[in-house]
Amino acid sequence: QLFALVPGEPGRFIRGAYYACMLAKCPLDVEICFGTFFTKREVEVGRGVYIGGNCNIGMCKIEDHATIASNVCILSGKKQHGYKQIGVPIQQQAGVYQQVVIGENCWIGHGAIVMANLGKQNVIAAGTVITKDTGDYEVWAGNPATLVKNIITLDSHE
């Protein structure tokens, strides 16, 4: 977390080098901005990935050229906490961690929460909460997220 606090170009370089050593996969051509941190070492980051400031990244695979805005949370799935055992504190109940996949060339907007897989080249609007897997080339928005449109079928005048 200390490296996440160094601002500017020196911080970008230090964070990139640190995460290249500490994560399961992280090339040096990524940009991980000030205040972002990873909660699991199993994270895989692809080439050309941009991650904005103050993000919280759980167990995931971020494919090449994904763009993640500031204040985005990528959870380790949606079943991290158990709650069904009556009389047992929720904090003591087992959960399941899942690797969430962020597809190649996705763009995730400010403050979005992602707890399911994103297909290739998705656009996720700011503040969107993704709770189910998405297909390729889709635009999602809202809480809970709803499919807004398919990018492939967009008219060229949009």
Side-chain angles (χ1 to χ4, degrees), residues 12 25-27 29 51 55 60 68-69 72 74 84-86 112 114 118-119 136-137 139 157:
R12 186 198 67 75
K25 176 186 170 195
C26 186
D29 71 340
I51 302 174
C55 292
C60 67
I68 300 171
V72 170
I74 301 174
K84 296 181 179 179
Q85 296 175 2
I86 304 302
V114 179
L118 300 181
D136 295 340
Y137 311 106
V139 178
H157 301 292

Side-chain angles (χ1 to χ4, degrees), residues 53-150:
N54 302 311
C55 292
N56 184 323
I57 311 291
M59 193 166 69
C60 67
K61 178 179 182 181
I62 304 170
E63 295 184 346
D64 295 346
H65 306 291
T67 300
I68 300 171
S70 298
N71 297 311
V72 170
C73 291
I74 301 174
L75 305 179
S76 302
K78 55 186 174 181
K79 297 181 180 179
Q80 294 182 71
H81 304 285
Y83 62 89
K84 296 181 179 179
Q85 296 175 2
I86 304 302
V88 176
I90 290 174
Q91 294 175 359
Q92 295 175 7
Q93 295 187 38
V96 176
Y97 291 93
Q98 168 192 349
Q99 183 184 51
V100 171
V101 176
I102 306 301
E104 181 180 347
N105 201 28
C106 281
W107 174 19
I108 303 174
H110 181 91
I113 299 172
V114 179
M115 57 184 91
N117 300 318
L118 300 181
K120 182 185 290 187
Q121 197 167 332
N122 278 195
V123 175
I124 308 301
T128 296
V129 178
I130 299 289
T131 60
K132 61 184 178 180
D133 293 352
T134 69
D136 295 340
Y137 311 106
E138 295 177 339
V139 178
W140 289 79
N143 180 5
T146 56
L147 178 62
V148 174
K149 59 183 103 176
N150 188 296

